[in-house]
Each structure stands twice: as structure tokens, then as C-alpha cells.
Amino acid sequence: MNGRRRVVIASNRVPPPPAEGAPWPAGGLVSALLPPLAAVGGLWFGWSGQAGDPDTPPQRTVTPGIDYVTIDLPEQEIADFYEGFCNRTLWPHLHGLAEQATALHREYSTYRTANRRFALALVPLLAADDLIWVHDYQLIPLGQELQRLGWRGPLGYFHHVPVPPREHWEAIPNHEALATAFTAYELVGTQTPRDRDQLRTLLPAGHGEHISAHPVGIDPQRFRQFAASHGADPLAREGDDRQILFGVDRLDYTKGIRQRLEAFERLLLRDARWRHEARFVQWAAPSRGNVPEYQAERAAVIEVAERINARFGEPHPVELDLTSHPPDEVAAGLEAADICVVTSLADGMNLVAKEFAAVHSAEHPGVLVLSDTCGAASQLTGALPVRATDVGSIEEALERALRMPWDERARRAAVLRTTVDLTTAGRWFQEFVLELERRRPGGAPTVFRW
Ligand code: F6P
């Protein structure tokens, strides 16, 4: 080992290698991991996003920074593991939204089987001195499966999503097995100290010291470059100088998209001034479209937006765009917005909030409205806080944001920007990996070349 271990990332979702020009996968995991992994180099392993014959060898694309290796999953496993256990059972319960959890797809065994498949495909790619870092709830048992297959090297896990209260945790089928699966890791990272403390109460006794809080960040410099490279303002409409409230999310019921639109509707009803002085642009990228709860959410969001536009007529107050936008366009949109509205009902971190902070400053201020149920709220103290389940509190914050004087906007924007500049994805990555190394008996620290 020449002073530096290779970092092997395993996550269910892997971005397409840059040359492929495939659509960009929405979600915080990829945007947090990609810049630091590209900087230090390493292997990124996971699902191709495609159905296919499981016996086909993994697809490998070597780029100057990252070696991407992906496997296809059998169609039935996509339904049972990814859409079923992960996204109809684990996802809603981990977000404390039991009402979205279906009675179907409760089989923990399908989850284990898929994780075993990932482990079997990953093991032949490994070198003895690699460091493995597993990401997110789809792959919690991967560490256990790798150890069963003989892996003895460094093994860490990062939990991108919230850790729920006990009553939600206990609603997860086989939650005891899930808790045991966490204990394979020498280090488990959570987004916030609150999540760390909560997870400590849920795992078997003695495992608490393996859990530590490492809030995920973005690469603010890179994101600012995206905004600069885009050129045109994607939110501009000729002759329209209304203030722009902007939301950009995956289309997911955890994001509180309906709630924020309803809050805007209430504001327009209460004070007619805003019908001429504000508009709401909401981009919601398609996500998990085969899952019925996501289809229902899509229909509900469309219904609210259409209702508002029908109620107030021209110029329409809401512009709803249900397509994916590449990162440079998202960056340019966030930069052009006056107010960014993030109202997740539960969210591990929420990197859109950090991206908005990165492209605003005291000279070009924007106001961030942020629900207190996002991990980011504990760091982004320059934001206007709201309770996502309380539409009235969102309505008040939207009005306060719209009325906010320039000097307060500038002060808050400067605080937000400093925070994201100090807590970057690079720092998050490095701190986690170094802590994992330090925890190994006699483990030599990884030397990063930044
Ligand atoms: O950030 C949370 C997360 O669930 C990631 O694990 C995931 O990659 C992302 O959201 C997008 O979801 P999906 O991979 O299901 O499209």
C-alpha cells in the first residue's frame, strides 16, 4: 500500500459515467459523493438502474478519477427489493411517515438476498488494502454479507436519511435483524447529532461508540461554476418581474411540495398584492415512478398547482415542471431565485438548501425558507425556519421572505454561504474516512491527495 488505501464506495444508485450523457440521477447521495470521490479517486459500485440477467458480468467504466462498476438486477428483485422493501417499507418508516408504508413488500428476506447479490459481485473487485464505504438504507446488510464472504478490511456505512423515533423503527419488519446488520460496521455515520443519539438507542448495546455524526456537505465552488457555466437564466419570463419562490426536489411525498404550494395559495388569498408580485416555480424530478405512493403524490401535486392557477388565472401564480434538470440548470435556477422553499416533512440533510446558499451572497442575496425537520436546519441558521406540517407557518415565512429588506437578506445570505463553504463534501468525505482508519487497530491513516 503506497501510503493510501483505495476507497471503494458502494451505493444502490451510481451516477452514469460522465461520457455516457445519461440523465442525471436526482438526489443528495450522488451530488455529495461525486466531487470528493473524483478528487481522491476510487471505485464506485452499485446498481446500474437497469433490469437484466444477474449472471451477466458487471459493467465497468474506467475514467481518470473513478472506476464505475454496476450490476443489473432481475426484474422481480427490482420490484421486491428496490421498489418494495426499500421504497415502500424502509423509506416511509425511516421518515416517520407510516401512513405511506404499504402492507405489501414487507419481506426482509428479499432485502437480504439483494444485498448478498451486491456482496457477491463486489468481492472479486476488491484488493486486500481497500477501504469500503457503504451508503444508505438500501444496503445496510451489505457489510454483514461482505464479512460472511471473508472481508476483514475497513468497513464503514453512512446513513443519508433520518433515524426515526422508536415507534416508527419498530414498525419495520425484522427491525431486530436490521439493527444487527449495522453492527458489522466499524463506523456508522449519521447526518446529525440527533440522528446519532437516536440510532444509539436502537442498536444492540455496546455498538453506540461506533456511531458518529458527520453532516454531509456539497462542493460549493463546483456548484458556483455550474451556475456560471449555464449562461441563460432558466427562470426568466419576458416582461415578468414578480419575485420568484423556487422549489427543486425529487418528486417525493417526504418533500412537502403540496404543503408549500398550499401555503402559497393561502398567502395569495389573504393578500392580493402577491398575485402580482410573486410567482412560485416548482421543479420536481421524476422519482421511483413505479411506486404507487409516488404516482399518487405526483397526481396530488399536479392537482394543487392546477387548482391554484385556475383560481387566480393569468398571470399564473404557479409554474410546475415535472422533468429532470441537469445540475448546471439547477444551479442557474437556484441562483436566479429570490427565495428557495424547502419544506421536507423529514429529510436526512437536504442538499438543495446548501446549493441555494452556495450561489447567493451578501451582494446577491436570496432568502432560504427551511423546515426544521431537515438535517440542514441544524447547520443553516441563516434560514427562515418553518414547521413543514403546519401550512400556516410556511405561509408566514413566505410572506416574511417576500417582504424581507435587502440588508437582512444580505446578512442572512452571508451567514448561509459561510456555513456551506466551511462544511464541504470534501471535508465530510475526508473526516469520515480518517475516522474509520483511526478506529482500526494499528490502521495507518489514509493519506489524501487533495
Ligand atoms: O438521498 C437519499 C436517496 O434515497 C439516495 O439513497 C438515493 O440515491 C436518492 O435518494 C435518490 O433515490 P433513488 O436512488 O431511489 O432514485
Side-chain angles (χ1 to χ4, degrees), residues 13 26-29 82 87 91 136-138 161 250 287-288:
R13 180 71 61 184
L29 183 149
Y82 171 66
N87 289 330
W91 179 265
D136 227 0
Y137 64 101
Q138 301 94 340
V161 295
R250 277 187 310 105
S287 184
R288 306 174 188 167

Side-chain angles (χ1 to χ4, degrees), residues 242-243 245 264 268 274-280 317 402:
R242 291 176 291 176
Q243 284 196 65
L245 300 139
F264 185 51
L268 298 181
W274 302 117
R275 297 180 202 172
H276 311 286
E277 294 183 25
R279 63 185 165 113
F280 205 119
L402 286 164

Side-chain angles (χ1 to χ4, degrees), residues 167-199:
E167 67 268 27
H168 294 286
W169 174 260
E170 289 184 349
I172 297 171
N174 289 51
H175 57 88
E176 300 90 347
L178 191 65
T180 306
F182 274 99
T183 64
Y185 298 103
E186 293 158 287
L187 178 62
V188 168
T190 63
Q191 297 278 25
T192 64
R194 191 208 64 83
D195 287 327
R196 175 200 60 208
D197 295 346
Q198 179 58 11
L199 192 58

